[in-house]
Amino acid sequence: MATIAEGASSTHVSRLQTQVARVWRVRDALETRLEAERDQLPLWLPVALGGGIAAWFVLPDRQEWIAAMYALAAVALAAVAVGRHGRAGRAVAIGAIVAALGIGLAWWRASDVAAPVLARPAIVTMTARVESVEPLPARALVRLRLAPLSVMADAQASTATAPGRPGGGTSYQRPPPALPPHIRVNLAQADMPANLSTGATIKLQARLMPPNEATVPGAYDFRRVAWFDGLGATGKGIAPVTVLTPGSQSNGLRAALAAHIEAALPGNAGGIAAALAAGDEGAIDQQAQSDMRRSGLAHLLSVSGLHITAAVAFTIWIVTRLLALWPWLALRARIPVIAAGAGALAAIGYTMLTGNQVPTMRSCIAALLVLTALAMGREAITLRLVAAGAFVVMLLWPDAMMGPSFQLSFAAVAAIVALHEQPTVRGWFLKRDESWWRKVLRELASLLLTGLIVEFALAPIAIYHFHKDGLYGALANIVAIPLTTFVIMPAEALALAFDAVGLGAPFWWVAGRALALLLWIAHMAAVAPGSLAMLPAMPGGAYGLMIVGGLWLALWRTRARLAGTVPFAVGAVWALATPAPDLLVSGDGQHLAIRTPDGGVAMLRDRAGDYARDTMAENAGVDGEALLLSEQPFAQCTRDACLALVTSSGRTFRILATRSLYQLPIDQLSAACRSADIVVSDRRLPRSCTPTWLKLDAPTLRRTGGVAIALSSGRIVTVRAPGDQHPWVIAASTDRTRDAGLANRRPIGEKAR
C-alpha cells in the first residue's frame, strides 16, 4: 500500500512540475516578444487608462465597479508573483493598476460634477444670471446658459392633468419646481433684447424639461453629456425677456470676432470662417452642415488639431522670419526655441479665444507637447507624444474619452503617425533628389494613402456614434485639408490683421473664394452616388473588438501586430451581421418607426419633429427621409391608432399603436390588443390589454427607455439597463419616482373612499 501511495504521489508531483514548466515556457516566450517591442510598451498606458474609464461607463452598478477594481488588483499581484523579475510581469501589473485607476477616476469625476436635475417638465417664470450667450443665426436662435436666482411656477403649469380627452382630465396641484443651478435655454433671435450680454440678470418665462436620454438605443445620450457639463435642464424661452441688470458691454472677444467675420463674409462662407477662427458654428445652415458630414469634412468645422497646428505653424513661421532679420539676436539666441515659445502662446491664446472647449484644449495640450519636444531637440511627432497627450486629457476629463470628438481626433492622429513610423512606408516617402513631377506624384500618393488609412481608422468610430460614414472622405480631404491649412486660414488671419488699418478686403476676397470652393467640394462629395455608408446601431461588443484590433495594429511594430486583424474582423462581421431593427420606439412612447418592405422607415405620427424623424432613420441605418405610416399600404390608421402588418422571416406581425390623446373604448382596445403581437402606447394601458408578445405602454417604457426590436430574431435592445446606477440615471429615476407619487395623489376636492 505504501508503494502504491508513493507512486501516486510521485505521479502528482511529476504532473505539477510539467504544468509549472509550461507556465515558465509561456512566460519566457512572452518575455522574448515584449523585449522586441520594448519601446512600444509605454504606448499602452493610455490604452489601459481608457479601458478602465470605459469599463466604469459600461458596467452598471457600484458592486461591479468595485469588483472590477479588486479583480484588476488581483491580476497585478498575480503578475508580480509570476514574473516579478521579467518585463512581462511588470507590464501586466502596471497595466492592471492603471486600468483600476481609470475606473476610480471616472467614478470620482461623475461624483465631483454632480448637480441637481430638474424633476419634471415645467413652465416657469424666473430671474437668472446669464453665464454665456451663443448666437445661432442659421436657426434664428440665441442659446443662453443661465444660473437661476429665483423661480415662480406659471399658472398654466401649476397643475398636472390626468390622461383623457384634452381639457377633460383631472387636475392635481403642483408646487413650483426647484430649478438646478445651471440651465440652457434657446431664445428666438427676434425676442433677444439688444442689451442682453454675459453677466446680465434677466427675467423670462421658459418651458423647461430635464435633459433627454437617448431617444432609442444607439442614439445620442444628451442626459449623460449634460451631467458632466453641469446642466440640469434645457428648454425654450418665451418673450418678453426683461433685462433687470445689464452685464458686460459685449459677449466677449469670441462673439465679437465671429460677428465681424460674418459681416465680412455673409452666408455659409462666413459661418465656416467663424467656425475656423472662433469655434462658432451657429451661422452654418443645416444643408451645409449635412454636406460637410456626408463628405467627411465635418472635422474642419470643429476647432481641433488641424486648426491649432495651422495657428502654431503660422506663428512660428512669422516669428522665425521676423527674428532672423535681426542679426544680433540671430547670432546669440536659438530662434527656433523662441519661435516655439511664441507658437505655444498662440496655441493657448487660440484655445481661450475659441471658448476653452474640451476638443480644443485637448489639441492644445498635444501641441504644447510637440513644441516642448522641439525645444528639447527631440523628434517632434511620435506615437509617444500622442499617447502622452491622450493620457493627460483622460486624467483631466475622463468622461471626454467616451465622446466621438476624443475618439475621432486621437484615432486620426495615431493612425497618421503609426503609418509614417512604419519603416516600409517611411522609405517610400523619404525626401530624395528627383524630378519635380515625381516629387508631386509622391506627395499626392502620400496624401492619398494617409487619407485612406485615416478613413479606415475612423470608419468604425463614425458608424458607431453617427451610424454613417462618408465614403469619399479620403478624396475630399486631399483637397480640403491643404486648402483650409494653406489658403483659407492664412488668408483669414491676414484679413483680420489688415482690417485694423482698413485693408483687409483683398484677403477676405481670397478667403471667400476658397471657402466657396470648399463648400462646392463638400456638396459634390455629398451628392455623389453611394456617398454615404449607413449602418444601424452596432453592439458595443463589436465596437470594442474593432477598437482593440485597431490599437493592436497601430501600436506594435513586429509581425505580432497582424494578430490585431482577428478581433477587428470579428467585430466588423458582428456589426454587419447584426440585423437592422424592424421597430424603434422612443422612451416616451410617442414616436414609433417601422421598417418598410423596401428598407425605409415609416413614422407613427404625421407631425413628428425633424429631430425625431432623423434620429429614427439614422438609428435604423436608413439614408433618407422618414415616411408616414398612415400612407403605407401595410398599415391601417385612424386619428387615434394605427395597425401595421409587418412581415419578417415568413411571419406576419400585427403591431398596434395609439397616436392621440383621446382615450379609446376599453372593450374595443382590449379586443384589438388580444389580436395584436405588439402594442405601443404613450399612456398606461389597462390590464385587459394583453398582446400575444409584447406590451410597451408608459409604465414599461419608463423602465426600459427607448426600445429597438428585430422581429426576425426576437432581439430586443433597450436604452436603460436593469440596475443601472450611474449618477445621471439615478437622478432621472428619482425624478420619475417623485412624479409617480404625485400622479397617485387623489384629485383636488375628491374625498377619500
Side-chain angles (χ1 to χ4, degrees):
M1 294 294 292
T3 303
I4 295 175
E6 290 175 359
S9 177
S10 176
T11 302
H12 178 71
V13 170
S14 177
R15 290 177 179 174
L16 183 61
Q17 289 175 343
T18 301
Q19 293 175 356
V20 171
R22 289 176 180 173
V23 171
W24 288 115
R25 283 197 299 271
V26 171
R27 192 202 69 169
D28 293 341
L30 185 58
E31 286 286 346
T32 302
R33 291 193 176 276
L34 288 181
E35 181 62 29
E37 299 277 13
R38 177 175 55 186
D39 293 339
Q40 304 302 110
L41 290 178
L43 303 178
W44 289 91
L45 281 177
V47 176
L49 183 65
I53 294 171
W56 184 84
F57 280 93
V58 171
L59 297 175
D61 56 55
R62 58 183 296 123
Q63 287 77 19
E64 295 197 28
W65 305 335
I66 295 171
M69 296 175 73
Y70 276 127
L72 289 168
V75 169
L77 292 175
V80 171
V82 173
R84 59 183 179 276
H85 299 302
R87 192 180 304 278
R90 292 197 299 271
V92 172
I94 292 173
I97 292 171
V98 172
L101 172 65
I103 295 176
L105 191 63
W107 194 350
W108 170 82
R109 171 71 174 166
S111 301
D112 184 61
V113 300
V117 177
L118 186 67
R120 59 183 181 272
I123 301 178
V124 299
T125 300
M126 61 179 170
T127 59
R129 179 172 51 84
V130 179
E131 296 183 322
S132 67
V133 179
E134 181 184 359
L136 303 173
R139 297 166 54 188
L141 294 175
V142 178
R143 179 167 291 166
L144 306 177
R145 184 182 174 104
L146 305 174
L149 302 176
S150 62
V151 59
M152 178 180 63
D154 186 82
Q156 297 177 353
S158 61
T159 60
T161 304
R165 290 184 177 271
T170 306
S171 296
Y172 301 88
Q173 190 67 42
R174 274 182 168 169
L179 294 186
H182 304 283
I183 64 175
R184 194 180 74 185
V185 170
N186 288 340
L187 186 66
Q189 202 170 43
D191 299 333
M192 173 82 167
N195 58 341
L196 179 58
S197 60
T198 302
T201 301
I202 62 174
K203 180 179 180 181
L204 79 162
Q205 188 182 58
R207 297 186 182 96
L208 299 178
M209 61 185 302
N212 288 327
E213 66 181 354
T215 304
V216 292
Y220 178 62
D221 190 357
F222 177 68
R223 183 178 60 179
R224 187 185 71 191
V225 175
W227 178 267
F228 286 100
D229 195 29
L231 287 175
T234 61
K236 180 180 179 181
I238 304 171
V241 178
T242 305
V243 178
L244 303 178
T245 305
S248 56
Q249 293 297 319
S250 69
N251 288 313
L253 179 60
R254 180 190 181 197
L257 179 62
H260 178 80
I261 293 171
E262 290 161 12
L265 291 174
N268 286 319
I272 294 178
L276 295 175
D280 186 348
E281 302 178 25
I284 308 173
D285 65 30
Q286 293 184 356
Q287 182 59 52
Q289 290 187 358
S290 176
D291 288 345
M292 295 293 283
R293 285 194 298 269
R294 293 175 65 95
S295 62
L297 301 181
H299 64 94
L300 298 176
L301 302 180
S302 175
V303 177
S304 56
L306 174 66
H307 310 82
I308 294 288
T309 300
V312 170
F314 185 70
T315 302
I316 291 177
W317 184 82
I318 289 290
V319 172
T320 300
R321 272 136 186 85
L322 289 177
L323 294 181
L325 297 176
W326 188 3
W328 182 89
L329 183 64
L331 294 173
R332 290 170 174 79
R334 293 179 59 191
I335 290 181
V337 175
I338 299 175
L345 293 177
I348 295 172
Y350 190 28
T351 301
M352 297 176 65
L353 174 64
T354 53
N356 289 323
Q357 302 296 318
V358 172
T360 316
M361 297 177 73
R362 181 175 62 242
S363 302
C364 180
I365 291 171
L368 294 178
L369 290 172
V370 170
L371 293 172
T372 302
L374 283 173
M376 296 172 62
R378 305 288 294 273
E379 190 174 354
I381 302 177
T382 65
L383 277 177
R384 287 200 175 194
L385 280 175
V386 177
F391 195 84
V392 171
V393 170
M394 285 188 286
L395 284 177
L396 297 175
W397 304 284
D399 53 290
M401 197 216 72
M402 299 301 293
S405 177
F406 176 96
Q407 296 172 21
L408 289 169
S409 59
F410 274 106
V413 175
I416 293 171
V417 177
L419 172 68
H420 289 275
E421 282 190 357
Q422 289 292 331
T424 303
V425 176
R426 183 179 292 183
W428 289 346
F429 301 115
L430 278 176
K431 301 293 183 182
R432 61 195 73 188
D433 292 330
E434 57 186 353
S435 58
W436 67 269
W437 62 270
R438 286 181 177 271
K439 184 178 296 185
V440 170
L441 287 178
R442 192 177 299 277
E443 292 295 334
L444 288 176
S446 175
L447 284 173
L448 180 59
L449 178 62
T450 301
L452 290 173
I453 292 297
V454 169
E455 286 297 316
F456 180 77
L458 300 188
I461 303 173
I463 291 176
Y464 177 76
H465 288 285
F466 309 118
H467 317 295
K468 55 188 173 184
D469 184 46
L471 297 181
Y472 302 137
L475 296 175
N477 277 289
I478 287 178
V479 180
I481 290 178
L483 179 67
T484 302
T485 306
F486 301 115
V487 180
I488 295 175
M489 293 189 69
E492 188 175 352
L494 291 171
L496 290 171
F498 278 89
D499 271 351
V501 292
L503 299 176
F507 300 103
W508 284 124
W509 183 87
V510 173
R513 301 289 78 74
L515 286 164
L517 177 59
L518 178 66
L519 287 165
W520 180 82
I521 293 171
H523 180 70
M524 295 305 296
V527 300
S531 62
L532 203 63
M534 299 289 297
L535 199 70
M538 73 170 68
Y543 180 60
L545 284 173
M546 285 191 281
I547 293 298
V548 169
L551 289 170
W552 194 274
L553 285 167
L555 300 186
W556 293 132
R557 284 292 169 266
T558 64
R559 295 184 62 183
R561 72 180 187 276
L562 298 178
T565 57
V566 175
F568 190 94
V570 171
V573 171
W574 185 1
L576 293 172
T578 301
D582 296 294
L583 273 74
L584 288 170
V585 183
S586 64
D588 57 8
Q590 293 187 2
H591 301 293
L592 166 68
I594 298 179
R595 185 170 294 276
T596 61
D598 60 357
V601 292
M603 298 288 292
L604 172 67
R605 295 179 185 265
D606 296 348
R607 301 180 65 182
D610 291 340
Y611 177 78
R613 300 168 71 87
D614 292 344
T615 299
M616 294 292 190
E618 289 174 1
N619 283 270
V622 175
D623 179 22
E625 292 289 333
L627 307 173
L628 298 180
L629 185 60
S630 58
E631 297 177 355
Q632 304 308 307
F634 60 86
Q636 299 176 359
C637 293
T638 66
R639 184 177 61 175
D640 299 320
C642 280
L643 176 65
L645 304 180
V646 181
T647 301
S648 179
S649 299
R651 178 185 170 186
T652 299
F653 294 84
R654 296 173 62 88
I655 300 165
L656 175 66
T658 65
R659 63 175 195 159
S660 77
L661 294 175
Y662 293 92
Q663 290 184 342
L664 301 175
I666 191 168
D667 54 342
Q668 297 180 18
L669 178 61
S670 299
C673 286
R674 285 192 295 271
S675 65
D677 297 292
I678 301 173
V679 177
V680 178
S681 179
D682 60 347
R683 68 189 69 169
R684 178 189 293 274
L685 295 175
R687 292 183 180 180
S688 59
C689 178
T690 54
T692 59
W693 181 22
L694 191 62
K695 181 167 76 171
L696 297 175
D697 62 351
T700 302
L701 291 171
R702 275 198 293 269
R703 295 192 302 270
T704 64
V707 179
I709 304 172
L711 297 176
S712 58
S713 61
R715 180 173 179 261
I716 301 175
V717 182
T718 61
V719 168
R720 298 181 193 140
D724 194 338
Q725 293 184 7
H726 290 97
W728 53 91
V729 177
I730 293 176
S733 299
T734 303
D735 298 338
R736 288 195 298 270
T737 302
R738 185 186 301 116
D739 276 355
L742 182 63
N744 290 330
R745 295 177 185 173
R746 291 190 299 273
I748 298 173
E750 182 180 342
K751 297 181 180 180
R753 296 180 180 178

